[in-house]
Amino acid sequence: MYPVMNSSAHSGTEPDRLPDVAWCESFATSNAPDVIVLADPDLRVMWANDAAGRLLGHEPLAFRGRSVVDFVHDEDIPHAVGAISEASREDGYHIATQLRLLHASGEYLGCRVTANTVDREDGVWFVLGIRATLDEDAIENRRRRLRGL
């Protein structure tokens, strides 16, 4: 079971059935299908959700303190640095960049990395969303199959 919200918070609903917001946030980030990474202004990983282990094979704590660039394929580093530079100039959502990221097996996995930047007094912070491009390939293949029905 989950903790419930204060019943006065939701008039006209069944508040005793609604889970606590903090529980929802924790549950969602722990079970998200996509990797979520928080990087500081020096591009060091401060936090990664559990999907980091499922997608890239690294325990989330193994990311802490490491540069996000440590996980980018050498040939993709110029593209990654360009995307980081562009994103750091403007707050908010930034379109996805396709990069190869290091899996714990030593292989590289094609990924789509989306960023949201937040300019704070201590610098620009990055919230990164990472999804394997294999998912997108599977979606496109499914679309083609369905069109053929």
Side-chain angles (χ1 to χ4, degrees):
M1 195 63 169
Y2 49 77
V4 295
M5 294 182 70
N6 179 341
S7 62
S8 64
H10 296 280
S11 61
T13 64
E14 293 185 43
D16 295 334
R17 296 236 178 270
L18 297 176
D20 177 75
V21 172
W23 179 87
C24 291
E25 290 171 350
S26 174
F27 188 83
T29 56
S30 294
N31 294 287
D34 294 342
V35 177
I36 303 169
V37 172
L38 174 64
D40 73 359
D42 294 325
L43 297 176
R44 292 175 302 179
V45 176
M46 296 291 106
W47 176 86
N49 70 342
D50 293 342
R54 291 189 296 274
L55 181 67
L56 297 172
H58 302 277
E59 288 300 315
L61 289 177
F63 287 96
R64 278 187 63 85
R66 293 187 59 189
S67 172
V68 296
V69 179
D70 289 349
F71 298 94
V72 177
H73 190 284
D74 288 346
E75 294 174 4
D76 293 346
I77 288 176
H79 186 64
V81 169
I84 290 165
S85 175
E86 180 181 298
S88 65
R89 289 192 297 265
E90 188 174 329
D91 258 5
Y93 174 81
H94 303 277
I95 61 170
T97 299
Q98 195 161 330
L99 301 170
R100 290 168 286 179
L101 301 179
L102 183 63
H103 189 275
S105 68
E107 298 290 320
Y108 283 88
L109 179 66
C111 293
R112 188 168 301 273
V113 181
T114 305
N116 196 47
T117 54
V118 180
D119 191 4
R120 298 170 20 116
E121 61 186 47
D122 58 345
V124 177
W125 285 70
F126 295 80
V127 179
L128 305 174
I130 302 169
R131 172 177 285 184
T133 55
L134 295 172
D135 283 353
E136 294 175 4
D137 294 342
I139 290 169
E140 189 55 38
N141 288 336
R142 183 181 308 139
R143 283 184 185 142
R144 284 189 202 115
R145 277 195 321 270
L146 291 173
R147 278 189 218 128
L149 294 179

